[in-house]
Amino acid sequence: MNDHERVKQSPTRYKLHPAQILLSWLEVIKALIPLIIIVSLDIRDAAQLEWYHAILPGFLLLGLMTSYLSWQRFYYVLEHDRVRIHKGILFREERNLYYSRIHSVNVEQPLLHRLLGIARIKIEMPGGKSEGDGVLKAITLATANELERWIRSQSSSMKQKQDGQVRQELSQEQSNDVSPSHLASEQSAILSPDVMDNKREREYDNTDQTTAYTYKLPFSEVLFASITTVNIGLVITFILGVISFADDILPASLYDRILSVVQMIFPTWWGIVIVGVIAAWALSTVLYMLKYGGFQLESDGNQMSISYGLLEKKKHVFRIKRVQAIVVKEGVLRQVLGYAEVGLHVVSSNKNETVILHPFIRKQLLQSWLIEMVPQFNWVEREKRSPKRAIWSFFKWDILINGLLTAAAVWYFGMVGWWVLLLFVITVPLSYAAHYDEGFTCRDEQLTIWKRDLARYTIFARRKQMVTFQKSSTPIQKKMRLQRMKVKLMGDVGGTSFSTQCLDEQDVEEVWNWSRRDQRAKQQN
């Protein structure tokens, strides 16, 4: 599939771009780097060095031959109902990806791919592998976009055909004569909660969404979003990395000279920390802009396409009905400014990656925008909150951790260590905010959870996507009639889960009964 201009239904065998040979060979070299370093450090005489120089090219040549054979033996075929992938040098493997079961198609362009003018496409199915069920590692960008559109159109047509069959079966059932003596029992069954829940699900699934939408995030908003995003992990890693690099790499005299200059400019270690935080914040801003620059969203009402990235281009294509959950994240700065980030959990083979629906949206527009983009979810207000008697559960770790840190600081630094108590000024308000924000609403087919760590999260999840519901409590919580709940969604072996910290026992029991009612309905059907 290197030279043809459009993808069409054909038994033709398509091959990857020849650049895949280079990419595979680079992977072999990357795997050999640790061995090369170890062997180089172990060389003691000229004879060993000659042997090393003789055998290393052999390994590299073998890797190049293997890469070529792997590329030569790889091909894929487009059929009317599936994509067939054949690969393997000695042991052949055939993989069939049916359009009706494909959940998402991702087009990616890492930096090396962009330099070579090619792309990588990942076809994902529920319960698949973490690297994707079908991966075409090197095809031209035009071919990748065309193939993505082809799979999308075939998936939609297969779904419409299945929906048509379901409608035909339902119409045949409704056309059957029902005797008056059975009207009462039929009416009672229709009014039963389990039947009504499943009926509403079928009515939505058989409804075609036709709203078209295109949105491009302006560069000014990407810049503003990057500035208001603080990656605490990156800040800490950056500071420790700089210190470790300077201590291990630089000569001792140069390190001491730099340290003395820094101490002259910043007499206290607080100044060094502040400069480190600012530098890490600037680095986080640049990385955010590189990741989400060029953000674009397209939706035809049935399928959605999201692309972003300046250096590494990514494109996610999925059916809107496959969305498992919506996660609205409000960082500390964004909450003050009235902005939020919206992420989607889609049935995918990669449980660690959340598709960003909008990286930076005003909260005033959030409700109407979500209804337009993912209409199967309902915007609701919080009905249940964490009770006042549960506040101790949010403060216990602050008291314990801050107490241990203060004791260690006083033991090591003396009286200066008591300044660590200032951590309570930060952690206590955050813990109180976590207790205040925690809660949920359980209504119709949707469970909505509010929670907070540093950022505040609002999670919308539909009941039919939930695999398990767990409730638990410690002995102290049990005496105080408190419980935690955890919801696990469909997906791969690990799955995606959301949990709360401490809620009223009776409220958790209501959600428990609500989830069990859905399980009974599934068994009856």
Side-chain angles (χ1 to χ4, degrees):
M1 193 173 173
N2 301 322
D3 299 321
H4 71 292
E5 296 180 355
R6 63 181 180 179
V7 178
K8 52 187 177 181
Q9 180 180 339
S10 170
T12 305
R13 296 182 176 184
Y14 298 115
K15 298 187 66 62
L16 299 178
H17 193 280
Q20 173 59 24
I21 302 174
L22 175 62
L23 296 176
S24 298
W25 193 41
L26 292 177
E27 290 180 1
V28 173
I29 296 176
K30 181 181 178 180
L32 289 175
I33 288 177
L35 180 61
I36 294 174
I37 295 175
I38 293 174
V39 173
S40 300
L41 295 176
D42 193 53
I43 294 177
R44 294 184 176 85
D45 53 39
Q48 288 183 340
L49 182 61
E50 292 179 0
W51 174 85
Y52 176 71
H53 286 166
I55 197 172
L56 180 59
F59 276 110
L60 296 179
L61 181 60
L62 178 62
L64 180 60
M65 293 177 58
T66 304
S67 302
Y68 173 78
L69 292 175
S70 177
W71 170 80
Q72 184 66 30
R73 300 279 286 169
F74 186 103
Y75 69 89
Y76 62 98
V77 180
L78 302 178
E79 298 186 359
H80 71 283
D81 62 340
R82 59 185 164 174
V83 178
R84 285 194 293 113
I85 297 178
H86 298 258
K87 61 181 180 179
I89 300 176
L90 297 179
F91 301 95
R92 300 293 290 168
E93 177 184 351
E94 177 180 346
R95 184 167 296 174
N96 294 285
L97 308 175
Y98 290 90
Y99 300 125
S100 59
R101 300 195 69 245
I102 292 176
H103 281 188
S104 63
V105 181
N106 301 332
V107 179
E108 302 176 351
Q109 265 195 302
L111 180 59
L112 184 57
H113 285 65
R114 299 197 74 174
L115 295 176
L116 296 174
I118 58 177
R120 178 175 61 205
I121 189 168
K122 297 173 63 176
I123 305 172
E124 298 184 338
M125 305 177 75
K129 299 180 179 180
S130 59
E131 68 274 10
D133 296 273
V135 182
L136 306 179
K137 296 183 178 180
I139 55 179
T140 63
L141 180 59
T143 298
N145 292 329
E146 197 172 359
L147 181 57
E148 173 259 310
R149 289 192 295 268
W150 163 261
I151 294 176
R152 190 196 313 184
S153 62
Q154 290 298 103
S155 179
S156 298
S157 62
M158 296 293 291
K159 180 59 179 176
Q160 291 175 2
K161 184 183 295 185
Q162 293 177 357
D163 290 345
Q165 293 175 355
V166 172
R167 294 191 187 98
Q168 185 177 0
E169 293 175 0
L170 291 176
S171 62
Q172 290 177 356
E173 293 177 0
Q174 293 174 357
S175 63
N176 294 333
D177 294 333
V178 181
S179 61
S181 61
H182 294 92
L183 287 178
S185 60
E186 291 290 336
Q187 184 176 6
S188 63
I190 291 176
L191 294 177
S192 129
D194 295 338
V195 175
M196 288 297 294
D197 291 343
N198 293 319
K199 181 180 179 182
R200 281 192 293 266
E201 293 292 340
R202 288 195 299 267
E203 287 176 351
Y204 174 78
D205 290 338
N206 293 330
T207 301
D208 293 330
Q209 307 294 327
T210 57
T211 304
Y213 182 86
T214 301
Y215 175 76
K216 293 183 179 180
L217 189 66
F219 180 79
S220 58
E221 293 193 16
V222 176
L223 177 60
F224 195 20
S226 63
I227 295 174
T228 57
T229 302
V230 183
N231 191 329
I232 301 298
L234 180 63
V235 171
I236 297 175
T237 303
F238 179 82
I239 296 175
L240 296 179
V242 170
I243 296 175
S244 176
F245 175 82
D247 190 18
D248 297 337
I249 303 299
L250 298 179
S253 58
L254 180 59
Y255 176 78
D256 294 337
R257 187 181 306 172
I258 294 176
L259 186 61
S260 61
V261 172
V262 171
Q263 290 177 344
M264 289 177 58
I265 300 175
F266 305 102
T268 63
W269 62 275
W270 285 102
I272 300 176
V273 171
I274 292 174
V275 172
V277 169
I278 293 175
W281 195 340
L283 178 61
S284 176
T285 298
V286 173
L287 294 178
Y288 188 96
M289 293 176 63
L290 293 176
K291 181 176 182 180
Y292 291 109
F295 182 91
Q296 180 172 335
L297 183 152
E298 297 178 353
S299 173
D300 61 5
N302 290 316
Q303 292 193 342
M304 188 175 294
S305 171
I306 299 175
S307 59
Y308 53 86
L310 294 180
L311 292 181
E312 183 175 350
K313 192 76 173 179
K314 288 190 176 183
K315 184 177 183 180
H316 303 274
V317 181
F318 54 91
R319 292 177 55 211
I320 297 176
K321 294 177 184 179
R322 298 297 187 185
V323 176
Q324 296 179 289
I326 301 174
V327 179
V328 179
K329 179 182 178 181
E330 304 170 62
V332 177
L333 290 178
R334 293 189 177 186
Q335 189 175 347
V336 174
L337 298 173
Y339 285 86
E341 175 186 282
V342 183
L344 299 180
H345 283 266
V346 185
V347 178
S348 169
S349 62
N350 190 350
K351 67 174 182 178
N352 296 320
E353 187 169 11
T354 301
V355 179
I356 299 299
L357 181 62
H358 199 304
F360 197 65
I361 185 173
R362 286 186 178 274
K363 288 189 62 179
Q364 297 175 349
L365 307 175
L366 187 56
Q367 179 176 352
S368 59
W369 192 75
L370 284 179
I371 293 175
E372 182 180 2
M373 291 293 99
V374 276
Q376 67 266 40
F377 291 88
N378 300 318
W379 185 273
V380 295
E381 299 296 332
R382 182 168 35 202
E383 296 179 353
K384 305 291 185 179
R385 292 181 177 271
S386 179
K388 292 182 178 180
R389 64 180 184 277
I391 194 170
W392 68 272
S393 181
F394 295 85
F395 283 102
K396 62 181 181 181
W397 291 111
D398 289 340
I399 297 174
L400 177 62
I401 295 175
N402 290 341
L404 292 176
L405 289 176
T406 302
V410 171
W411 174 78
Y412 188 80
F413 295 105
M415 295 299 295
V416 179
W418 288 105
W419 285 100
V420 178
L421 289 174
L422 291 176
L423 288 174
F424 280 102
V425 178
I426 301 174
T427 59
V428 169
L430 288 176
S431 298
Y432 178 80
H435 172 260
Y436 179 81
D437 289 331
E438 179 153 305
F440 71 93
T441 296
C442 183
R443 185 185 300 174
D444 296 330
E445 300 305 308
Q446 179 179 297
L447 175 63
T448 308
I449 297 175
W450 286 264
K451 58 179 296 185
R452 172 188 286 275
D453 41 34
L454 286 177
R456 182 168 64 186
Y457 296 88
T458 305
I459 303 152
F460 304 84
R462 291 181 63 79
R463 179 166 61 177
K464 72 174 185 177
Q465 302 289 354
M466 298 180 186
V467 178
T468 59
F469 179 88
Q470 301 175 1
K471 56 179 183 177
S472 60
S473 60
T474 63
I476 297 178
Q477 288 177 334
K478 195 170 184 179
K479 291 181 180 180
M480 301 182 67
R481 303 186 314 282
L482 300 171
Q483 284 186 344
R484 299 189 297 265
M485 67 177 181
K486 182 178 181 180
V487 177
K488 182 178 177 181
L489 304 181
M490 296 173 58
D492 53 19
V493 178
T496 301
S497 60
F498 304 103
S499 61
T500 61
Q501 187 169 341
C502 203
L503 295 170
D504 186 90
E505 183 180 50
Q506 184 177 357
D507 294 337
V508 177
E509 289 294 335
E510 290 181 5
V511 185
W512 170 262
N513 294 329
W514 172 80
S515 65
R516 285 173 59 86
R517 179 160 58 89
D518 183 62
Q519 295 297 326
R520 292 196 300 269
K522 290 180 180 178
Q523 294 175 1
Q524 292 174 1
N525 292 333

